[in-house]
Amino acid sequence: MRLRKATALTASAVALALAATACGGGDDEGGDGGGGGEIVIGIKFDQPGLGLMNPDGDYVGFDVDVATYIAGELGYEPDQIVFEEAPSPERENLLSRGDVDMIVASYSISEEREERVDFAGPYFLAHQDLLVRADYEVPDEEAINDMTLCSVSGSTSAANVQRDFAPDAALEEYNTYSECLTGLENGAIDALTTDDSILAGYAAQETHQGKFALAGLQLSDEYYGVGLPKDSEDLDAVNEAITAMVEDGSWDQFVEEHFGPAGYEPEPAPEIGARP
């Protein structure tokens, strides 16, 4: 499917299409610029602050707002967006199979991934850190080698541990960060390691406040990009949408809403085309 930026002409077409299908099916797959179809976007369902599915079925978080903004710039109304869960190990597969049109899911850009998918952006810069129990201290980076860590299968965080900064650490890999968090709470692991943006979201949850703390280590630079199918024709349009989001102040608004309560202050929005 080719996504197209909305224009006055497409907006008129959308209105006519919606009127014509108000009493009908309207479940076409993959519309052009929102012309009566849907856009399917992969997000995380279990990352507080970034992408979280509430018990009532609503989706909230920074990535959700970014995805909704981009879709709007491409001509899609919120009710034309279908959110699909995008677990870390499956993101490239979801794009290559055509299960989703794009992925906005704390998706760090890497050379290895760029061999299989395209990335628009980046739209966010995070740093890998550790989440530990509140009474647990990590004196320095070297001490990580003596710890049992948990991360998510297929994530850059898991790869970074043994390749870059803690080759002797014991590493447990689960499918979701929520599983890691359970292990951290019951003492089965010493730390959950992933991006500080994700960790801040968990630490700020009402049920976790006071239990966990970030170690405050900047172990890597993680540039979040919007994942697109390889050789996508929509790369420029998505980059334009990200630029508009930053320039009109929406990016700052999303940051304050979702990260402000955690006391987490992220880096300024990175330049389009920046890479690790």
Side-chain angles (χ1 to χ4, degrees):
M1 156 177 148
R2 171 139 190 208
L3 309 174
R4 291 194 297 227
K5 225 179 162 181
T7 64
L9 181 59
T10 58
S12 298
V14 169
L16 290 172
L18 290 176
T21 59
C23 298
D27 57 355
D28 294 340
E29 290 293 330
D32 290 331
E38 296 175 340
I39 181 170
V40 183
I41 303 178
I43 61 170
K44 290 297 179 68
F45 281 11
D46 68 336
Q47 286 184 353
L50 285 161
L52 183 68
M53 184 173 70
N54 285 332
D56 60 6
D58 288 338
Y59 304 97
V60 294
F62 179 76
D63 280 347
V64 176
D65 284 349
V66 169
T68 302
Y69 186 101
I70 292 172
E73 288 292 290
L74 296 173
Y76 292 88
E77 297 295 331
D79 63 1
Q80 292 177 289
I81 302 171
V82 177
F83 287 118
E84 294 286 349
E85 187 171 20
S88 293
E90 287 298 310
R91 288 179 293 202
E92 288 83 33
N93 293 331
L94 289 170
L95 287 167
S96 63
R97 290 195 305 257
D99 295 341
V100 298
D101 298 310
M102 68 176 65
I103 290 180
V104 187
S106 56
Y107 200 3
S108 296
I109 300 170
S110 70
E111 290 184 0
E112 181 180 4
R113 288 172 176 167
E114 286 192 294
E115 293 178 0
R116 296 187 59 189
V117 303
D118 283 347
F119 283 102
Y123 64 91
F124 194 84
L125 173 58
H127 302 287
Q128 186 169 351
D129 199 354
L130 305 180
L131 187 71
V132 297
R133 291 180 291 279
D135 59 353
Y136 194 102
E137 291 188 9
V138 184
D140 52 40
E141 198 171 311
E142 181 63 28
I144 302 173
N145 282 289
D146 298 323
M147 299 170 65
T148 299
L149 307 179
C150 184
S151 195
V152 169
S153 302
S155 68
T156 56
S157 300
N160 290 342
V161 169
Q162 295 177 324
R163 184 190 65 218
D164 294 337
F165 60 81
D168 296 327
L171 177 64
E172 301 286 341
E173 295 186 63
Y174 297 148
N175 286 327
T176 67
Y177 293 111
S178 297
E179 294 176 81
C180 287
L181 199 67
T182 298
L184 178 60
E185 189 166 11
N186 63 29
I189 61 170
D190 298 317
L192 162 57
T193 183
T194 187
D195 304 345
D196 49 11
S197 57
I198 299 171
L199 300 177
Y202 283 119
Q205 282 188 297
E206 186 174 348
T207 56
H208 297 147
Q209 287 179 6
K211 294 182 181 179
F212 308 117
L214 273 72
L217 306 172
Q218 292 191 353
L219 301 171
S220 70
D221 293 333
E222 304 295 334
Y223 289 85
Y224 292 174
V226 176
L228 296 165
K230 192 65 178 173
D231 300 320
S232 172
E233 297 179 350
D234 306 303
L235 188 60
D236 289 343
V238 177
N239 278 331
E240 289 173 10
I242 294 170
T243 299
M245 176 179 63
V246 174
E247 290 181 348
D248 71 12
S250 295
W251 189 90
D252 289 323
Q253 177 185 332
F254 300 156
V255 165
E256 177 59 31
E257 179 180 352
H258 298 293
F259 297 129
Y264 169 63
E265 297 182 5
E267 302 271 6
E271 294 290 329
I272 296 294
R275 294 294 186 269

